[in-house]
Amino acid sequence: MVQKYQSPVRVYKHPFELIMAAYVRRFPSCPLIPMFVSGEVVKEEESADGATTVTERRCTVDVDAPRLLKRIAGVDYLYFTQKNTLDRRHRTLQIEAYNLTFSSRVQVTENCSYTVHPENEEWTCFEQSATLDMKSFFGFESTAEKIAMKQYASSISKGKEIVEYYLKELEDEGITHVPRWLPPMAAASPPQLPVSIPPPSGRKENATLSDSLPGSPDDKLDADYIRRYLGELTPLQESCLIRLRQWLQDTHKGKIPKDQHALRFLRSRDFNLEKAHEALRHTLTWRKQYQIDLLPDSWQRPQLLHHYYTGGWHHQDNDGRPLYVLRLGQMDTKGLVRALGEETLLRHVLSINEEGLRRCEENTNIFGRPISCWTCLVDLEGLNMRHLWRPGVKALLRFIELVEAHYPETLGRLLILRAPRVFPVLWTLVSPFIDDNTRRKFLIYAGNDYQGPGVLQAYISPDIIPDFLGGECQCEIPEGGVVPKSLYRTPEEMETEEARMWTDTIYKSASVLKGAPHEVLIEISEPSSVLTWDFDVCKGDVVFNIYHSRRTPQTPPHREPQGAHTLSHSHTHTHTLSHPHTPPGASSSNTQLIDRSWVLGQDYSRVETALTCREGESIQGSHVTRWPGFYILQWRFHGGAAAAACSGSSLARVDDMLASLQGAPHRCRILYYTEVLQSQDFRGSMSSLESSHSGFSQLSSATASSRQSQASSTLSR
């Protein structure tokens, strides 16, 4: 397996020329890196004007490895080639390095660059990337890989320290300025005053990279930003975050989670990039399907919750984490479930988590240090067997499962106070569904044990301890009580309400089978209307096509209500492929619209280049229609060369259909939304993308502005 590393941008608040003077002092050897034995120059070339110097070194490295492994390998040192290209004119240094020893068994490549800060020419930026491909190593591949990664991480962490060490050495020698390179003719001329270059519009002078909008596709994470907003990370953890962020930018342009939340997924998976990637991909699809980003603004708590839900936010703990207080023992869980339904309570729990994300970000700015989780205080006084009502416990387990999956590493500490004798029964039921990392954050106190010295006050300041726990702070949380049975709903009423709540979504889910594409038909009566689409490839790979035809399909599909996918006052009609009895938001049946007798190029034509979409990608785009008639949006199963060979036909072969019924490998799933806008109403992005403004995700201003400039049909990832 190929191991990759990508560093954040490290900013030195010194000019490029001074950094170069410090850099060359690390050769031929550096006492701060004992493993670096020597760097012998084997070749050096300089351009005629002296602007460019190319230096090639043979570097000797003493790896800290077990003696037995060195004896088996038959070497004491490892040798690398390093090629440095210094461009004084453009003030850049490019470094390329690769291994000479065991090059047929192991491939190590490294690329580094020193460049001028894009917004402050008196500062210097450094970036570093590397790959390790361990093909074979005498049967010790895993051991050798771990040693190599450990040694590399150690040298990375010392990189900035080494440069600063030699900067201090230069300062002690009285060297605090190195003049810039000038062409030979300019060097002979009288010196001129430097020209001040104003910062870009809307940016502060001397701004750092961290001042730019986090999540913008063109910006990069710098080390200072990571320490200030995300916390201390090891070099390899930084690399995982940057690579996960890059994947998000490549596949979810326009809408990506904030760095803080992406980091939560990495931490919850012990920085296993593949596992974090998979979990985050499922969360992005879940959030889009159920429009979770809109929840903070759209959710209105039923009046019943204001009176009987005994929980709420209450200041923060001693670490600056938001504090949520829940008086579970005073809550009539059965009454709330019977009166409101499980889905309403779930919506409320999700809204609490969304508010928690917002408060963490707010406290990070207030306290000047990273705060990524909250503390929950649960008072169990009054807990009894009534709270062990089976449907209530089942609902609780479901809530825990969803929060664990989609809000990982948001619980910093759980203080359980006044646990009664019945608590072990509840804990036995619930604990198997709680992640081990989360379970270690639980602190449980029975009776009045929490009142002892150094217990509750170790986590919460005395002046904010709630009055019902013996403190003096008024806690604005409902007293709770028993929900009147007159407010209970019938099972039929709750089923109808829950079905409406979770299926009332603009996104639809559909299956794409091998040999049977999923198609959506849109009728356009006015040219220059704009087709827009937004879809996620949840499973498998698909090919996305757009066709146009003046002919009407012989079998008209089910027509959705006019408001489902069309803008009011737009003279268009949108048809969907769902069965008449399929509820909105459910998986629609797979129906083909293109007639078997139709010939591509005669009866219908392709109006956009086919786009191959990989699993996990999020695609948004638009097409300005040129002619009236019928436009067909098609998602076809992508099966490599076979799929490409039959891409011009939508006919389902018998063997493909049989294969699709026999196994999941021939089935893809998409989540999609389409909308038709009049040209004067088009603003470059779909209305659904407004949901990006939330505590979880952010809309890339650069992407949004680029889409606003679209004047012709586009397919954008």
Side-chain angles (χ1 to χ4, degrees):
M1 180 179 177
V2 179
Q3 298 288 341
K4 296 182 180 180
Y5 170 78
Q6 175 64 56
S7 76
V9 177
R10 305 192 187 279
V11 179
Y12 298 97
K13 297 181 180 180
H14 299 279
F16 174 80
E17 289 73 21
L18 190 61
I19 294 296
M20 291 299 98
Y23 172 78
V24 296
R25 293 202 169 200
R26 62 185 296 177
F27 299 103
S29 62
C30 178
L32 297 181
I33 313 179
M35 64 180 291
F36 186 79
V37 178
S38 66
E40 177 188 354
V41 176
V42 296
K43 184 179 180 182
E44 189 169 40
E45 297 178 348
E46 188 170 287
S47 61
D49 60 0
T52 304
T53 301
V54 179
T55 305
E56 193 170 311
R57 292 183 175 90
R58 176 185 170 91
C59 300
T60 305
V61 177
D62 183 9
V63 178
D64 184 14
R67 175 174 293 274
L68 177 61
L69 187 60
K70 286 187 175 183
R71 292 188 63 180
I72 293 175
V75 297
D76 289 324
Y77 300 105
L78 301 180
Y79 297 94
F80 287 78
T81 291
Q82 184 191 73
K83 179 181 178 182
N84 293 2
T85 303
L86 174 62
D87 186 341
R88 299 181 180 87
R89 186 191 309 274
H90 298 102
R91 305 176 74 196
T92 64
L93 173 64
Q94 302 295 331
I95 305 171
E96 304 172 49
Y98 58 89
N99 63 305
L100 298 174
T101 310
F102 303 122
S103 57
S104 61
R105 297 175 178 270
V106 182
Q107 289 185 351
V108 180
T109 60
E110 181 185 53
N111 292 278
C112 307
S113 67
Y114 287 89
T115 58
V116 177
H117 193 290
E119 294 173 4
N120 190 328
E121 60 180 14
E122 295 301 316
W123 290 359
T124 306
C125 295
F126 172 75
E127 286 187 84
Q128 183 177 12
S129 63
T131 60
L132 168 66
D133 186 4
M134 187 73 64
K135 297 178 180 179
S136 64
F137 200 77
F138 312 103
F140 293 91
E141 291 79 14
S142 178
T143 302
E145 186 176 277
K146 290 179 181 178
I147 292 174
M149 295 302 294
K150 180 180 178 181
Q151 295 282 313
Y152 191 70
S154 176
S155 65
I156 291 170
S157 61
K158 291 184 178 179
K160 191 170 184 177
E161 176 186 339
I162 293 168
V163 173
E164 290 175 345
Y165 171 83
Y166 287 115
L167 284 172
K168 181 66 167 58
E169 190 176 271
L170 287 169
E171 184 181 354
D172 293 341
E173 296 174 9
I175 303 174
T176 58
H177 174 73
V178 177
R180 296 186 187 180
W181 176 88
L182 293 174
M185 293 298 295
S189 303
Q192 299 180 357
L193 294 176
V195 178
S196 176
I197 302 176
S201 176
R203 299 295 300 275
K204 297 178 294 184
E205 191 171 357
N206 293 342
T208 66
L209 290 177
S210 61
D211 290 325
S212 59
L213 175 67
S216 174
D218 295 325
D219 86 18
K220 298 178 181 179
L221 291 181
D222 72 68
D224 292 337
Y225 165 82
I226 290 176
R227 281 193 297 271
R228 167 64 178 81
Y229 293 98
L230 305 179
E232 292 292 338
L233 301 176
T234 68
L236 296 183
Q237 289 173 345
E238 290 176 342
S239 176
C240 286
L241 175 61
I242 292 170
R243 291 167 60 194
L244 179 62
R245 192 174 185 263
Q246 187 60 53
W247 169 78
L248 289 167
Q249 292 172 353
D250 292 342
T251 60
H252 289 75
K253 284 186 177 179
K255 177 183 176 183
I256 63 174
K258 293 183 178 179
D259 299 324
Q260 293 87 340
H261 207 62
L263 183 58
R264 291 183 180 105
F265 280 86
L266 283 168
R267 282 176 170 151
S268 68
R269 270 70 182 179
D270 294 325
F271 285 87
N272 184 307
L273 189 60
E274 287 72 23
K275 291 181 179 179
H277 171 190
E278 183 71 10
L280 187 51
R281 183 172 65 82
H282 285 302
T283 291
L284 290 172
T285 301
W286 172 78
R287 294 183 69 88
K288 176 176 284 190
Q289 182 169 10
Y290 297 112
Q291 302 175 75
I292 303 299
D293 290 332
L294 295 176
L295 193 61
D297 297 325
S298 63
W299 171 246
Q300 295 181 351
R301 286 198 301 170
Q303 196 61 33
L304 203 64
L305 287 175
H306 286 283
H307 295 298
Y308 296 100
Y309 187 86
T310 55
W313 294 100
H314 180 72
H315 301 284
Q316 53 270 331
D317 69 4
N318 292 341
D319 296 321
R321 296 168 174 168
L323 176 63
Y324 190 83
V325 177
L326 180 65
R327 303 186 67 182
L328 185 59
Q330 305 300 313
M331 187 184 299
D332 181 8
T333 53
K334 179 178 180 179
L336 288 174
V337 173
R338 291 291 302 273
L340 294 174
E342 184 179 326
E343 303 306 325
T344 299
L345 290 175
L346 176 56
R347 285 273 178 172
H348 184 57
V349 170
L350 296 179
S351 71
I352 292 172
N353 282 271
E354 291 294 311
E355 174 65 13
L357 296 178
R358 188 194 67 79
R359 287 175 177 261
C360 284
E361 186 175 349
E362 186 178 86
N363 284 16
T364 295
N365 295 324
I366 292 174
F367 294 103
R369 61 178 183 273
I371 295 173
S372 61
C373 53
W374 52 83
T375 293
C376 186
L377 187 154
V378 181
D379 178 23
L380 295 184
E381 185 183 51
L383 188 78
N384 52 45
M385 294 301 294
R386 175 171 54 88
H387 290 86
L388 300 181
W389 180 55
R390 185 173 179 181
V393 174
K394 181 181 177 183
L396 176 61
L397 296 178
R398 182 187 173 203
F399 298 167
I400 292 173
E401 183 180 16
L402 276 172
V403 171
E404 286 273 304
H406 303 302
Y407 300 91
E409 293 297 314
T410 53
L411 181 65
R413 184 180 295 116
L414 180 64
L415 301 171
I416 299 177
L417 309 182
R418 301 199 280 194
R421 292 184 178 181
V422 73
F423 174 73
V425 180
L426 179 62
W427 179 248
T428 302
L429 296 172
V430 172
S431 60
F433 296 88
I434 301 175
D435 179 76
D436 288 340
N437 290 333
T438 303
R439 207 181 308 170
R440 285 193 286 267
K441 301 171 184 177
F442 284 38
L443 298 173
I444 304 171
Y445 301 96
N448 294 322
D449 292 347
Y450 71 93
Q451 295 180 341
V455 184
L456 185 58
Q457 293 185 13
Y459 307 107
I460 302 175
S461 176
D463 57 348
I464 66 166
I465 293 179
D467 50 1
F468 59 83
L469 291 176
E472 299 180 357
C473 185
Q474 188 69 27
C475 189
E476 309 223 344
I477 292 176
E479 292 291 335
V482 178
V483 178
K485 291 187 178 181
S486 59
L487 299 178
Y488 286 11
R489 294 188 182 185
T490 64
E492 293 76 15
E493 289 175 332
M494 283 195 290
E495 184 177 352
T496 302
E497 175 68 16
E498 292 173 0
R500 183 200 64 78
M501 184 175 297
W502 288 111
T503 59
D504 187 15
T505 170
I506 60 175
Y507 288 92
K508 296 185 177 296
S509 178
S511 294
V512 179
L513 308 177
K514 185 176 181 181
H518 178 74
E519 297 170 335
V520 173
L521 181 66
I522 301 176
E523 182 181 357
I524 299 294
S525 56
E526 284 190 359
S528 299
S529 296
V530 183
L531 305 180
T532 61
W533 55 84
D534 179 11
F535 66 88
D536 281 9
V537 184
C538 305
K539 181 180 180 181
D541 300 338
V542 299
V543 178
F544 179 60
N545 283 294
I546 305 177
Y547 298 102
H548 171 264
S549 176
R550 297 184 183 274
R551 299 181 58 179
T552 309
Q554 294 182 359
T555 305
H558 169 62
R559 184 187 296 270
E560 283 285 319
Q562 177 70 13
H565 291 283
T566 62
L567 187 71
S568 57
H569 310 300
S570 177
H571 301 286
T572 60
H573 301 287
T574 303
H575 310 267
T576 70
L577 298 179
S578 59
H579 189 273
H581 301 294
T582 302
S587 297
S588 54
S589 59
N590 191 282
T591 305
Q592 295 173 265
L593 298 173
I594 300 175
D595 191 87
R596 291 174 177 270
S597 62
W598 286 11
V599 178
L600 182 64
Q602 297 181 11
D603 301 288
Y604 68 109
S605 58
R606 183 184 288 116
V607 297
E608 287 282 3
T609 304
L611 178 68
T612 300
C613 310
R614 303 298 179 183
E615 181 175 323
E617 289 189 335
S618 179
I619 313 295
Q620 300 91 33
S622 60
H623 173 81
V624 181
T625 61
R626 297 178 59 186
W627 313 282
F630 298 94
Y631 286 81
I632 301 171
L633 275 61
Q634 180 194 80
W635 291 268
R636 176 184 296 277
F637 177 86
H638 178 64
C646 62
S647 61
S649 171
S650 66
L651 304 184
R653 299 181 302 176
V654 174
D655 56 343
D656 287 341
M657 291 300 295
L658 289 175
S660 68
L661 296 174
Q662 290 173 355
H666 300 289
R667 179 188 297 271
C668 304
R669 191 170 73 86
I670 60 171
L671 190 69
Y672 70 94
Y673 167 73
T674 63
E675 186 177 11
V676 181
L677 304 174
Q678 290 183 322
S679 57
Q680 62 267 29
D681 298 324
F682 180 59
R683 294 294 181 270
S685 62
M686 299 167 55
S687 60
S688 64
L689 293 182
E690 293 177 0
S691 65
S692 298
H693 300 285
S694 74
F696 175 88
S697 58
Q698 56 211 2
L699 186 64
S700 165
S701 58
T703 305
S705 61
S706 67
R707 291 211 176 108
Q708 290 174 4
S709 65
Q710 292 176 338
S712 60
S713 58
T714 60
L715 277 168
S716 61
R717 289 176 186 267

